[in-house]
Amino acid sequence: MFADWIQVGRMDELAGSDSPVHRLDARGKVVTTAAFIIAVMSFPRHEVSALTPFLAYPVVMVSLGRIPLWFLLRKVLLAAPFAAVVGMFNPLLDRQPMAVVAGVVVTGGWLSFASIMFRFVLTAWAALALIACTGMHRLAAALAQLGVPRVFVMQHMFLHRYLFVIADNAVKMMRSAAARSGGRALTFKAYASMIGHLLVRSMDRAERVHRAMAARGYDGELRTVRRAQFGLRDAMFVGCCLVFFAAARVWNVPAFLGRLASGG
């Protein structure tokens, strides 16, 4: 089923755990992850080896947070085709030789494609680790405290809260359509009709929910999570991570180790 496939609720369960990473202030983790993504995306398009030290950040987050590694990697793999589409034509467009590996000439297109996929894995893994170690509610509160526009924060909250409802409606519609089809495969027209009906139902439900919330005094303010305190431990975490990101961005550590090992 769709809900089982994406396992939205599992992320909330993981966020409720108790670990050194879970206890860190959400704002510190948001700032650190944002800096990580910026550093990873700032590398030249043909760079691959220099990105490898950045694996340390998501690996440490997942390990200290006691998050199942395969659970997050499976989500990364599910979204990997979208990243592959971005760079799939690079090997055809950029055929300039860049390196020779085991007698095989590697062109710039293949290097840029590998760089795109590696960056996607790093950034998606880090973002998922942030959610799994923080939770949607604490993450939304951190974004609001960091000055993110309230409209964006509330949309984020509502999307997370009612994704379960939308997924449940989609499952019921799929079951009904399968029962009416008599075992025959559904056509593209049938899928398009279900998507349209799901959109109409979601909009109608959203209108009813908004009226109910307005009747109860909702004014758009986020009051579900108490304000956290940013302590010394959080400052040390952010500072150490930022120093590591800056060092890994300025110096190509794998190239240096390679020259050191070869005596160059």
Side-chain angles (χ1 to χ4, degrees):
M1 293 191 306
F2 177 74
D4 295 333
W5 181 58
I6 61 175
Q7 292 184 298
V8 180
R10 177 63 173 154
M11 297 292 281
D12 286 335
E13 295 176 4
L14 294 173
S17 303
D18 184 30
S19 73
V21 179
H22 285 78
R23 290 191 291 269
L24 290 171
D25 187 270
R27 289 167 293 180
K29 287 183 283 186
V30 169
V31 170
T32 304
T33 304
F36 172 85
I37 294 174
I38 292 173
V40 168
M41 299 306 295
S42 67
F43 278 89
R45 63 191 181 98
H46 291 142
E47 193 60 70
V48 178
S49 63
L51 291 167
T52 52
F54 287 89
L55 279 169
Y57 178 68
V59 168
V60 170
M61 290 280 286
V62 169
S63 300
L64 295 181
R66 296 190 286 271
I67 306 298
L69 177 62
W70 175 241
F71 173 74
L72 295 186
L73 289 181
R74 183 170 59 181
K75 289 183 176 295
V76 172
L77 292 175
L78 287 175
F82 297 98
V85 170
V86 175
M88 63 185 298
F89 295 109
N90 287 18
L92 302 177
L93 299 176
D94 185 0
R95 299 186 179 183
Q96 179 182 359
M98 299 292 292
V100 178
V101 179
V104 178
V105 177
V106 180
T107 63
W110 283 111
L111 281 178
S112 61
F113 177 74
S115 181
I116 288 174
M117 296 304 299
F118 196 14
R119 294 169 204 241
F120 163 76
V121 172
L122 288 173
T123 54
W125 193 3
L128 289 172
L130 170 65
I131 297 173
C133 295
T134 308
M136 287 294 186
H137 293 278
R138 290 181 60 201
L139 181 59
L143 292 174
Q145 293 167 15
L146 289 171
V148 175
R150 186 176 62 180
V151 172
F152 177 83
V153 175
M154 296 311 300
Q155 289 293 332
H156 166 87
M157 287 288 294
F158 287 141
L159 177 62
H160 170 254
R161 181 171 298 177
Y162 293 106
L163 182 61
F164 301 94
V165 180
I166 296 174
D168 185 60
N169 286 337
V171 169
K172 291 179 180 178
M173 293 176 66
M174 289 288 294
R175 288 174 177 171
S176 299
R180 291 193 298 268
S181 66
R184 298 187 302 272
L186 298 178
T187 63
F188 175 78
K189 183 178 180 180
Y191 281 112
S193 177
M194 284 191 293
I195 292 175
H197 281 84
L198 182 61
L199 176 62
V200 172
R201 289 184 182 182
S202 300
M203 294 176 64
D204 182 63
R205 181 185 292 271
E207 183 66 26
R208 296 198 307 268
V209 169
H210 179 265
R211 289 199 299 265
M213 293 176 66
R216 290 169 172 81
Y218 170 73
D219 58 0
E221 292 292 337
L222 181 65
R223 300 187 178 90
T224 57
V225 182
R226 64 181 179 87
R227 194 177 186 88
Q229 296 295 325
F230 192 88
L232 177 61
R233 179 181 57 182
D234 305 302
M236 292 179 61
F237 167 76
V238 175
C240 292
C241 287
L242 293 183
V243 169
F244 171 73
F245 298 157
R249 178 62 184 87
V250 173
W251 293 291
N252 190 330
V253 178
F256 172 74
L257 294 178
R259 290 193 299 267
L260 190 65
S262 61

